[in-house]
Amino acid sequence: MSAERPVQTLSYELRLPEAVQAAALRLLDCSRAVINATVAALWERLDDFGERESKYAYKQVTAMIGSPAFHGDRQWRCEAEQAGRILRGQAVRKKQFALILPLLEQGMIRPPTEKKQAGKNRPAIKAALVSLLEEDSDGGAAVELQSLIEQACNFYLTHGCFPDTYEEMQAVPVLKVGILPYAGDDGGLKGQAYRLRLDVEGGCCYVALRAPDEVGSWPASWTEPQLRLPLPPPLVERLQGGEDLAPTLREVVRPGETRYAVLDFTVQVPVAPLADPKQVRRVLGWDWGVRTLVTALVVDLDGNRLSPPLFLDTGSFDGRQAHTRRHIDRLKRKVAKLEARRDQFAVGDQRRAPSERKLVILRREIARCWRKYEARNNDLAHLAANILLVLASVWQADLISGESLKSLKSAGRGRGAKGRWVNWRNNSQIRGALWRTLRYKCHLSGLHLAWQHSKGTTHTCPRCGKPAHTYASPALDAPVRDAGPWLRCFACGWNGARDYAAAINIALLGVTFLTQSLAPAQADPSPHPTMTEKGLNSESYSGSGLALRLPPTSPRGRLLHAGKLFVNGWINSVMLHSALSQDTMLRLCG
Ligand SMILES: [Zn+2]
């Protein structure tokens, strides 16, 4: 075990004041040109970036070449850092490409028919992904691998064959939006490309950036940081117990809006020590639902259910997202019509102007809708992660057990194949965000988080462990449905919501995971048990756990570490159904 105190890095975006926007944007434009030239010059040595000796990417780059446009040593280091990060990222993708290359086969392309052009075979892509995701991962790489496979399929559709090498399908990457990490400089007090002085008590900091002037000359001398930036209260709170790291200057570009520069302020905070596994007495299990986003409950180490099931229902959320998607589709149809009207006239003809003007407005509206759509997904993921943490804290469960992302289980909503695919992508986005959020929040608050194999969890009786069918409804004569909402066990008579059954099974897998990893002699190197190895059932629903200790008596101030419940403006309320109080809904108001 390392004696180092575990830490977590958090980032906060601060918009720079108007007075320095122009200078900051000039600096970013200038750096971007250098970064792009550097990446292009080193592209043929991409494989070298698959190996790393230092965490600093700039060291690797500056050892290979000098600056294509030199504006000071530390400025070059910062530019080289960003170029090196791009190349390192591409080297990782190239290695992943080597993995998918043998899987690329013509089955991934749907042959053309009379009605439809050739296209991607989504099920084949999905199956290839599932087989590819490593056994010992939580499936977080799924999204990246999917983008690689899709890129390869697009190549096929254009060229009629799959690419032989990564570089064949991937053009030299070009940074389109400015970014300048100050990690290559000497720190806030001695920096030669930036200076930063913190006044945590005063809730602000003072910044100076070295930037070219209007005619492109760089200053030779330094002034002390004068520019005052107020810090948001959560950041001040973090800074009191943490350490600030080198910030990153970044450009924000949105269609139809004036671009602006922000400073990403990075803080390293100490995290709560991880709970001793031997002291863990309760496990919170949760599952992605068929009709709810998340279903959760708490069990003890004997498998007794302590808490009532909790369902996070996102019905109205799905409706809003679908509404936004339909609106985007309508706007896109308008754009297509206007483009056709405009193209009736030759370039330069002033009769194109009215359509051009309307197109600008429409494109801005489309971009705004997409932003709203993605922000909602992110907010929902944060909200769900926070709810799980609050529950774990209230019930004093030190291990959170969740289904692996690998199964890529479709939510079963949507009718057409296309709709399902869109839904699956949307859900996988939310799920990826939820895992990431949950992972860092668990890390911050010292909770264990373990992924579980999902196979069999939705079709196994949680009480007797025998295989069970799911049905269209709770009625006794309801037909069997594979994605049915109700599970009924004819061996022991247990019946209940299928999502609830799955969440219990995943909690039980979590208990088995815990006891197996504590066993002194581990025969199986992989502690993640499957349903057949579980050997533990949930005999009873015990009322004893229901004496909720509110407010939570968390020994490690977990809620504080995990951050406050964060609900953005758009979520007015979210439905939390509990089987204990059927009609009561807990409303969390933003
Ligand atoms: Zn049973």
Side-chain angles (χ1 to χ4, degrees):
M1 286 292 285
S2 151
E4 269 180 47
R5 216 167 159 203
V7 290
Q8 172 87 34
T9 306
L10 302 168
S11 180
Y12 296 82
E13 177 186 305
L14 303 185
R15 186 172 175 152
L16 290 172
E18 281 313 310
V20 285
Q21 281 291 339
L25 290 170
R26 277 198 303 274
L27 169 60
L28 282 166
D29 288 344
C30 194
S31 311
R32 191 157 58 92
V34 175
I35 292 163
N36 283 335
T38 308
V39 171
L42 293 175
W43 185 241
E44 56 184 30
R45 297 174 68 179
L46 182 58
D47 290 335
D48 293 351
F49 287 89
E51 322 272 317
R52 55 184 71 180
E53 282 169 5
S54 161
K55 76 167 178 165
Y56 292 108
Y58 78 82
K59 291 190 178 171
Q60 219 168 345
V61 171
T62 53
M64 289 181 183
I65 54 167
S67 172
F70 190 78
H71 301 298
D73 181 65
R74 295 304 187 265
Q75 173 66 24
W76 163 230
R77 273 202 200 174
C78 295
E79 290 155 350
E81 175 67 27
Q82 183 56 34
R85 287 180 190 179
I86 293 172
L87 289 161
R88 282 179 170 184
Q90 289 291 329
V92 170
R93 276 191 107 224
K94 185 173 175 176
K95 283 183 183 171
Q96 288 176 331
F97 177 77
L99 285 177
I100 64 161
L101 195 55
L103 290 170
L104 290 177
E105 44 173 84
Q106 302 220 356
M108 285 198 189
I109 303 291
R110 196 171 34 71
T113 61
E114 275 180 30
K115 282 184 188 161
K116 280 177 121 179
Q117 294 180 327
K120 291 171 209 166
N121 182 347
R122 308 291 191 192
I125 295 177
K126 222 169 124 178
L129 268 173
V130 171
S131 74
L132 203 131
L133 291 165
E134 292 164 60
E135 269 298 297
D136 61 348
S137 81
D138 60 18
V143 178
E144 287 87 52
L145 288 171
Q146 185 198 329
S147 92
L148 264 174
I149 295 179
E150 292 216 7
Q151 195 180 347
C153 287
N154 286 337
F155 185 93
Y156 185 96
L157 290 173
T158 320
H159 298 90
C161 61
F162 282 113
D164 292 323
T165 64
Y166 177 65
E167 285 89 343
E168 201 180 326
M169 72 166 189
Q170 174 66 55
V172 181
V174 176
L175 192 62
K176 294 202 178 77
V177 174
I179 183 166
L180 186 66
Y182 281 117
D185 203 352
D186 303 328
L189 296 179
K190 293 180 184 161
Q192 295 174 38
Y194 85 109
R195 293 267 165 102
L196 184 98
R197 185 163 53 82
L198 271 176
D199 177 6
V200 179
E201 296 284 295
C204 68
C205 67
Y206 296 88
V207 190
L209 307 173
R210 186 167 166 264
D213 63 16
E214 285 91 341
V215 292
S217 3
W218 291 68
S221 64
W222 261 111
T223 51
E224 273 312 291
Q226 298 287 330
L227 180 68
R228 185 179 179 278
L229 264 181
L231 303 173
L235 175 54
V236 173
E237 207 175 299
R238 293 296 186 198
L239 282 169
Q240 276 157 354
E243 185 198 346
D244 63 306
L245 303 179
T248 296
L249 184 66
R250 187 167 53 87
E251 177 186 358
V252 178
V253 181
R254 288 173 174 170
E257 289 177 24
T258 317
R259 62 184 189 141
Y260 59 91
V262 297
L263 202 61
D264 284 324
F265 212 98
T266 313
V267 196
Q268 206 168 48
V269 296
V271 303
L274 201 58
D276 178 357
K278 292 196 190 88
Q279 300 298 318
V280 177
R281 293 285 168 267
R282 295 171 174 192
V283 174
L284 181 136
W286 59 278
D287 181 42
W288 308 112
V290 170
R291 273 162 185 77
T292 58
L293 180 71
V294 159
T295 303
L297 85 158
V298 175
V299 300
D300 65 16
L301 299 193
D302 297 318
N304 298 310
R305 278 160 271 150
L306 304 178
S307 79
L310 185 133
F311 304 98
L312 175 55
D313 189 339
T314 57
S316 65
F317 172 85
D318 288 343
R320 280 163 191 251
Q321 291 296 71
H323 182 268
T324 305
R325 287 297 296 257
R326 282 197 300 275
H327 186 52
I328 291 172
D329 287 344
R330 271 196 302 275
L331 293 169
K332 280 183 176 167
R333 282 197 296 274
K334 278 190 192 166
V335 164
K337 257 189 208 165
L338 272 171
E339 280 174 345
R341 191 179 304 165
R342 176 198 63 188
D343 293 341
Q344 288 173 340
F345 310 106
V347 177
D349 191 323
Q350 48 178 282
R351 281 171 293 178
R352 288 168 68 96
S355 307
E356 293 279 14
R357 276 196 298 276
K358 283 181 196 153
L359 278 169
V360 170
I361 296 166
L362 279 177
R363 293 209 177 99
R364 191 183 306 164
E365 174 68 6
I366 289 175
R368 195 187 62 83
C369 287
W370 275 121
R371 276 204 305 279
K372 193 163 76 177
Y373 184 78
E374 272 155 25
R376 277 187 197 149
N377 277 351
N378 264 329
D379 283 356
L380 183 66
H382 267 272
L383 180 70
N386 278 328
I387 286 170
L388 290 175
L389 281 161
V390 168
L391 281 177
S393 184
V394 165
W395 289 96
Q396 305 194 322
D398 287 320
L399 171 67
I400 295 183
S401 175
E403 180 196 336
S404 150
L405 280 182
K406 275 186 292 189
S407 70
L408 304 172
K409 190 167 72 186
S410 169
R413 298 195 196 100
R415 295 202 173 268
K418 198 176 169 213
R420 267 204 302 277
W421 175 254
V422 167
N423 252 330
W424 178 75
R425 298 239 300 198
N426 187 32
N427 285 323
S428 63
Q429 266 175 23
I430 297 176
R431 290 171 182 198
L434 196 151
W435 257 113
R436 279 192 302 277
T437 312
L438 199 56
R439 202 186 293 140
Y440 94 73
K441 292 201 173 202
C442 280
H443 185 54
L444 272 177
S445 49
L447 290 171
H448 294 269
L449 174 68
W451 60 266
Q452 306 299 338
H453 295 288
S454 62
K455 190 163 187 287
T457 51
T458 49
H459 286 78
T460 303
C461 169
R463 186 158 78 189
C464 70
K466 298 223 164 60
H469 286 303
T470 51
Y471 297 85
S473 81
L476 268 170
D477 58 351
V480 173
R481 290 266 187 282
D482 196 41
W486 201 255
L487 182 137
R488 187 179 291 281
C489 172
F490 281 99
C492 76
W494 191 91
N495 70 109
R498 157 218 167 104
D499 293 340
Y500 180 39
I504 299 172
N505 283 327
I506 287 168
L508 295 173
L509 286 173
V511 174
T512 311
F513 168 81
L514 183 74
T515 46
Q516 279 185 8
S517 56
L518 287 176
Q522 251 293 8
D524 180 3
S526 159
H528 294 272
T530 61
M531 283 299 284
T532 49
E533 300 159 0
K534 170 167 68 71
L536 178 73
N537 294 317
S538 181
E539 294 292 341
S540 77
Y541 175 66
S542 140
S544 67
L546 290 177
L548 267 186
R549 302 185 191 181
L550 282 169
T553 54
S554 176
R556 290 186 294 277
R558 224 166 258 148
L559 284 175
L560 191 80
H561 274 291
K564 292 197 186 72
L565 205 65
F566 133 170
V567 184
N568 263 0
W570 71 268
I571 304 181
N572 295 321
S573 70
V574 58
M575 297 301 179
L576 294 178
H577 307 238
S578 157
L580 189 71
S581 46
Q582 295 281 355
D583 302 320
T584 328
M585 309 235 182
L586 177 57
R587 290 174 83 86
L588 295 173
C589 293

